Amino acid sequence: MAEPHLLVVDDEENLRSMLAAALQHHGYRVSLAGDGNDALIWLETATVDLIVLDVMMPNLDGLEVCNRLRARGDQTPVLFLTARSETADKVRGLRVGGDDYLEKPFSLDELAARIEAILRRTGNAQTPSTIELADLTLDDAAHLVQRGGVTVHLSPTEYRLLHYLLLNRGRVVSKHQILEQVWGYDDGDGGVVETYVGYLRRKLDATEPKLIHTIRGIGYTMRVEP
């Protein structure tokens, strides 16, 4: 499956470039527009899976852009970005057809998570068959895990945990998130997560580089440390 295609619309050039780089790192294809008019013109001849749309732009703000898209029958999901925190503004954004609302300043990880959640709801989320990190490969179609070309045998729970961590590589996920996604509940104390992370470390991190990292007080992440 091709990577989801996003359109980022913001009048701040530096922010556009930063968002593009961050979202590309998370596996998205990204196009850019500098204002609402450019976005509407661009979307007349192109389609995307989701629009990241700044609200406060000169000439044509994001709310009006979304309103015009919906009026012409374009139901592309929209995630609003705004510095406004008033409830009334959020309600306006949802009433004109927005799917979610993220206040500035925001973390890039939260932005990526919001986008992923919207794409799951709309059926456009990407679930890659093969995920790679350094010399670790998980082939979900073949249910095969290899590190350095050597097959690693995992239990079903170890496999689900590794799959979830790899899907979120580069991000920090909490024990409660892991419990919910891997075990199907989130009211435990996290001890089972620690135990299974330990199992994965013994099987996968016996060689360098170490890929599974504990972020004290928060959770875990899989990444290659610089």
Side-chain angles (χ1 to χ4, degrees):
M1 180 187 295
E3 65 271 22
H5 187 186
L6 312 180
L7 175 64
V8 175
V9 187
D10 198 292
D11 61 313
E12 296 182 36
E13 183 177 357
N14 290 339
L15 181 58
R16 283 200 311 273
S17 299
M18 180 185 69
L19 292 178
L23 293 171
Q24 286 165 354
H25 175 73
H26 279 86
Y28 297 109
R29 185 158 59 99
V30 182
S31 295
L32 302 174
D35 60 44
N37 285 314
D38 284 348
L40 288 173
I41 293 170
W42 192 87
L43 288 166
E44 287 177 356
T45 57
T47 58
V48 293
D49 296 295
L50 183 142
I51 304 167
V52 179
L53 182 59
D54 186 39
V55 170
M56 299 179 68
M57 294 185 293
N59 302 323
L60 192 64
D61 69 22
L63 296 176
E64 182 58 25
V65 170
C66 185
N67 191 44
R68 294 189 188 186
L69 287 174
R70 299 299 185 247
R72 70 191 194 191
D74 189 330
Q75 297 302 315
T76 304
V78 170
L79 170 60
F80 284 119
L81 302 180
T82 182
R84 297 172 176 170
S85 59
E86 290 81 1
T87 300
D89 289 320
K90 296 178 183 180
V91 170
R92 283 187 62 208
L94 297 174
R95 281 181 173 168
V96 298
D99 294 85
D100 203 352
Y101 211 103
L102 190 57
E103 291 179 28
K104 299 177 181 178
F106 52 83
S107 77
L108 295 174
D109 283 342
E110 182 179 6
L111 173 63
R114 295 285 189 99
I115 290 171
E116 184 179 338
I118 295 172
L119 291 176
R120 278 200 306 269
R121 291 199 300 269
T122 58
N124 294 320
Q126 177 189 21
T127 305
S129 174
T130 300
I131 312 172
E132 297 180 353
L133 181 64
D135 60 347
L136 174 66
T137 302
L138 183 149
D139 185 339
D140 201 35
H143 208 79
L144 178 67
V145 176
Q146 292 185 316
R147 176 118 203 225
V150 178
T151 299
V152 180
H153 298 285
L154 301 177
S155 71
T157 302
E158 290 168 349
Y159 183 90
R160 290 196 304 272
L161 174 58
L162 176 62
H163 188 261
Y164 178 68
L165 291 173
L166 280 174
L167 282 176
N168 290 277
R169 60 199 181 279
R171 308 179 202 172
V172 178
V173 290
S174 69
K175 291 178 183 178
H176 288 295
Q177 287 174 307
I178 294 171
L179 282 170
E180 184 177 46
Q181 296 299 319
V182 178
W183 276 270
Y185 61 86
D186 65 355
D187 57 351
D189 63 4
V192 67
V193 176
E194 294 177 10
T195 299
Y196 274 86
V197 167
Y199 294 159
L200 285 184
R201 281 188 165 127
R202 285 195 288 273
K203 293 184 176 183
L204 298 174
D205 271 357
T207 59
E208 297 291 339
K210 306 298 184 188
L211 301 178
I212 304 172
H213 305 278
T214 300
I215 309 301
R216 192 172 300 278
I218 303 175
Y220 300 95
T221 185
M222 289 197 73
R223 64 190 180 207
V224 179
E225 296 278 66

